[in-house]
Amino acid sequence: MHIRGVVFDMDQTLYDRDASDAVVMGAYYDAHRSLFTAACTKEDAVRAMQKSDRAGGHFGWERIVDLLVGEGVCARRPDVHAICTFFQEGFARYGVPYPETMDTLEELHRMGLKVALITNGNPVLQRQKISHFGFDTVCDAIAIGGKPEKRVFLDMAETLGAKPGELLYVGDHPLNDIQGSRDAGYVPVWIRTMPWDYPEVERAPWEIGNVSELPCLIRARFS
């Protein structure tokens, strides 16, 4: 099978969410110390946030906050909208990139492949993240919103001048990324940065631990 491009998810795929959680939770703890118990240190808050985000991130901020409260670090429950906004704005300003991401995206271009991005989320904040990380400088096309519906994937294929079956889609979310792209005819690749927490969804035919593994996978299986 020959492919003509790779389309990516962004959150939990192209930047280091664990490291970004650490930076932003540190700032949140300083700004909202009264929300945490007297015994909770900044390090405790960071560990609790990282654990809660990994376990609940696919199900939204209500779930993340439930898990964070369950960790016993909160003196009172944070407002879901407020903490979500603080973190999304923080990721857009201070998010930590994987050191290999940009090199990998540029290598894919050197291999003659199109590179694109489909990400869900608040369009303003997602575009700020995209600019912060520099993904707008290496992507041939970017779309925000629509996953897991087929239309956004089909529209992206048309934009790239490719058939869906000529494109890989790389993401962490079993439903939005893997099932959504598969239903549209893409070849899905699951990146193992988050748990496979949708057991009813068929697993992807290909799995990687980091985007840096993609060029080798493509040369071995899709050239």
Side-chain angles (χ1 to χ4, degrees), residues 24 28 32 61 65 79-93 122 125 128-129:
V24 181
Y28 185 82
H32 302 280
W61 277 87
V65 171
D79 177 81
V80 173
H81 176 74
I83 192 172
C84 172
T85 300
F86 188 99
F87 269 77
Q88 293 301 323
E89 290 178 348
F91 293 150
R93 293 180 181 179
N122 178 291
L125 292 175
Q128 289 175 0
K129 286 187 206 173

Side-chain angles (χ1 to χ4, degrees), residues 83-106:
I83 192 172
C84 172
T85 300
F86 188 99
F87 269 77
Q88 293 301 323
E89 290 178 348
F91 293 150
R93 293 180 181 179
Y94 313 115
V96 180
Y98 287 121
E100 59 272 13
T101 294
M102 292 298 280
D103 286 345
T104 299
L105 300 184
E106 290 167 357

Side-chain angles (χ1 to χ4, degrees), residues 6-11 14 115-124 126-127 130 135-136 139-147 149-160 169 177 186:
V6 184
V7 185
F8 292 90
D9 170 51
M10 180 168 64
D11 296 286
L14 289 181
V115 174
L117 182 68
I118 302 175
T119 179
N120 280 356
N122 178 291
V124 173
Q126 293 302 83
R127 289 204 174 276
I130 289 164
F135 299 145
D136 51 343
C139 286
D140 298 293
I142 294 172
I144 299 176
K147 296 187 298 182
E149 298 303 319
K150 287 183 183 180
R151 187 73 264 156
V152 68
F153 296 101
L154 296 176
D155 286 348
M156 179 58 76
E158 183 175 352
T159 297
L160 296 176
Y169 189 85
D177 297 327
Y186 285 56

Side-chain angles (χ1 to χ4, degrees), residues 58-90:
H58 284 160
F59 303 102
W61 277 87
E62 191 80 42
R63 177 76 67 89
I64 292 171
V65 171
D66 285 344
L67 293 169
L68 185 62
V69 170
E71 288 296 307
V73 297
C74 296
R76 65 181 191 274
R77 181 182 175 83
D79 177 81
V80 173
H81 176 74
I83 192 172
C84 172
T85 300
F86 188 99
F87 269 77
Q88 293 301 323
E89 290 178 348

Side-chain angles (χ1 to χ4, degrees), residues 2-222:
H2 178 71
I3 66 161
R4 298 180 61 190
V6 184
V7 185
F8 292 90
D9 170 51
M10 180 168 64
D11 296 286
Q12 287 102 0
T13 298
L14 289 181
Y15 68 91
D16 190 333
R17 184 70 169 236
D18 244 19
S20 300
D21 275 339
V23 173
V24 181
M25 179 49 105
Y28 185 82
Y29 179 92
D30 289 339
H32 302 280
R33 180 64 184 87
S34 63
L35 282 175
F36 297 89
T37 65
C40 176
T41 66
K42 186 181 294 188
E43 291 73 20
D44 293 333
V46 166
R47 283 191 294 268
M49 182 61 202
Q50 290 171 327
K51 181 178 179 181
S52 300
D53 197 2
R54 283 194 297 268
H58 284 160
F59 303 102
W61 277 87
E62 191 80 42
R63 177 76 67 89
I64 292 171
V65 171
D66 285 344
L67 293 169
L68 185 62
V69 170
E71 288 296 307
V73 297
C74 296
R76 65 181 191 274
R77 181 182 175 83
D79 177 81
V80 173
H81 176 74
I83 192 172
C84 172
T85 300
F86 188 99
F87 269 77
Q88 293 301 323
E89 290 178 348
F91 293 150
R93 293 180 181 179
Y94 313 115
V96 180
Y98 287 121
E100 59 272 13
T101 294
M102 292 298 280
D103 286 345
T104 299
L105 300 184
E106 290 167 357
E107 182 175 359
L108 294 175
H109 271 307
R110 290 193 295 271
M111 294 168 64
L113 299 171
K114 297 286 188 179
V115 174
L117 182 68
I118 302 175
T119 179
N120 280 356
N122 178 291
V124 173
L125 292 175
Q126 293 302 83
R127 289 204 174 276
Q128 289 175 0
K129 286 187 206 173
I130 289 164
S131 177
H132 168 71
F133 291 111
F135 299 145
D136 51 343
T137 68
V138 292
C139 286
D140 298 293
I142 294 172
I144 299 176
K147 296 187 298 182
E149 298 303 319
K150 287 183 183 180
R151 187 73 264 156
V152 68
F153 296 101
L154 296 176
D155 286 348
M156 179 58 76
E158 183 175 352
T159 297
L160 296 176
K163 298 176 182 177
E166 296 173 325
L167 299 170
L168 301 185
Y169 189 85
V170 182
D172 67 286
H173 198 295
L175 178 61
N176 290 346
D177 297 327
I178 304 308
Q179 183 169 306
S181 64
R182 179 194 285 121
D183 288 347
Y186 285 56
V187 179
V189 179
W190 181 49
I191 187 165
R192 298 185 298 268
T193 56
M194 293 281 283
W196 188 274
D197 43 19
Y198 281 77
E200 71 277 13
V201 176
E202 180 185 354
R203 292 180 79 99
W206 306 103
E207 299 181 9
I208 57 174
N210 189 281
V211 291
S212 64
E213 298 173 25
L214 267 176
C216 287
L217 174 64
I218 291 168
R219 291 186 179 103
R221 300 292 183 180
F222 300 102

